[in-house]
Amino acid sequence: MLSPSRAGLRWGLLGVAAFSFTVPFTRVAVESGGMSPLFIGSARAVIAALLAAAALAITKQRLPRGIQWSRLAIVAGGVVVGFPVLTSFALTTAPASHGAVVIALLPAATAVMAVLRGHERPPTSFWITATVGAIAAVVFAALQGGGLSGLHWSDLLLFGAVVAAAIGYAEGGLLARELGAWQTVSWALVLSAPLMIVLTGISMAQQAPSDTPIEWAAFAYLAVVSMFLGFFAWYRGLAIGPMAQVSQVQLVQPVMSICWAVLVLREQITWPTILGGIAVIACAGIAVRTRLGPAASAGAK
């Protein structure tokens, strides 16, 4: 029988593997222009919400109570609305490998949000490495765009997506201990469904979606796996915990995403991309590991 920590890591790795295709497949879906970014970001949530509603009804899950609804709204705002919509717009112009490097900030950002949410007192080195990682990501994006003045809207959207997802991950990981892993993301999807249905209708009124089978297959993956099934594994891993250790598994996600960008999209990976990815991932890893120190544990009591 697996120890709780090992089981949490395995579930977390399964979730990360599912999420690692999100950036390249989003790029595939938006590349030809047959589907608008708003449609991809919202319609995938509508499909996932239908699956979630069916799963909740079939298994007769009890309704969340009281403040759990507001906490679910935070999860929904981060991982159902914020991250998918922002990345869909960003990846209309940004290469998947570029997006993967910026999103490599997510483990450190999730650790920061978990620290703030849990009222922990991590050592100063935690904040230093988290800040250095953020600076490294900004410098990478700026150099790719030709300098600080060359930062594109796509970069700002990607940074916004990181913040949104980090908030949703941290709150969702805590809430999963009360509602269950897949139940948390399912209720978040159902809660956000009315808004996402309206956004889907607006996007279809502006541009009727039409694309090739390949793009529709990528969209289907985003809706069923990235938006729904992947969270089953990820939130289960975070719920089993320890959350700080499981969140470290996320460090392999940008590496996997860049590999998929090369294999699926045939993108050329440059040395700045490789070095930028190493810098951001290293800082994120140090920040997450630093949070596991005695000071963090003492502050969490």
Side-chain angles (χ1 to χ4, degrees), residues 8-20 225 229-230 232-234 249:
L9 288 171
R10 290 193 177 185
W11 279 109
L13 182 59
L14 181 60
V16 163
F19 294 149
S20 67
V225 180
L229 296 179
F232 279 42
W234 178 240
V249 177

Side-chain angles (χ1 to χ4, degrees), residues 17-265:
F19 294 149
S20 67
F21 287 96
T22 301
V23 170
F25 280 2
T26 300
R27 179 66 178 165
V28 169
V30 302
E31 196 167 20
S32 67
M35 289 184 278
S36 70
L38 182 59
F39 174 81
I40 294 170
S42 57
R44 65 195 258 193
V46 173
I47 294 174
L50 292 174
L51 296 174
L56 291 168
I58 291 172
T59 57
K60 299 180 180 179
Q61 296 295 313
R62 66 174 178 84
L63 288 170
R65 290 176 286 185
I67 197 172
Q68 289 177 335
W69 284 110
S70 60
R71 295 172 65 192
L72 282 168
I74 294 173
V75 177
V79 302
V80 179
V81 182
F83 187 83
V85 173
L86 292 175
T87 52
S88 294
F89 276 98
L91 291 170
T92 57
T93 55
S97 55
H98 179 97
V101 171
V102 176
I103 293 173
L105 269 176
L106 191 50
T110 301
V112 169
M113 294 303 173
V115 163
L116 296 176
R117 179 66 176 82
H119 305 290
E120 298 176 8
R121 296 178 183 176
T124 303
S125 56
F126 168 83
W127 298 108
I128 292 174
T129 51
T131 301
V132 171
I135 293 173
V138 172
V139 170
F140 164 79
L143 291 176
Q144 292 282 76
L148 286 174
S149 60
L151 279 173
H152 299 147
W153 275 108
S154 59
D155 295 312
L156 300 180
L157 293 173
L158 288 169
F159 286 125
V162 167
V163 174
I167 294 172
Y169 281 172
E171 190 63 45
L174 294 172
L175 195 53
R177 296 173 180 174
E178 302 173 22
L179 298 177
W182 70 268
Q183 293 92 333
T184 296
V185 68
S186 294
W187 284 118
L189 284 163
V190 170
L191 183 62
S192 62
L195 172 63
M196 304 314 277
I197 289 172
V198 170
L199 293 179
T200 300
I202 293 173
S203 69
M204 294 179 70
Q206 294 175 341
Q207 176 187 340
S210 61
D211 233 320
T212 67
I214 293 177
E215 278 78 23
W216 280 111
F219 172 78
Y221 184 94
L222 295 173
V224 177
V225 180
S226 295
M227 201 82 240
F228 188 54
L229 296 179
F231 281 102
F232 279 42
W234 178 240
Y235 277 148
R236 179 168 176 79
L238 290 177
I240 294 173
M243 189 186 298
Q245 290 179 333
V246 175
S247 68
Q248 292 183 81
V249 177
Q250 214 173 18
L251 293 169
V252 305
Q253 184 173 329
V255 178
M256 297 172 73
S257 293
I258 291 173
C259 290
W260 303 143
V262 174
L263 296 174
V264 176
L265 301 174

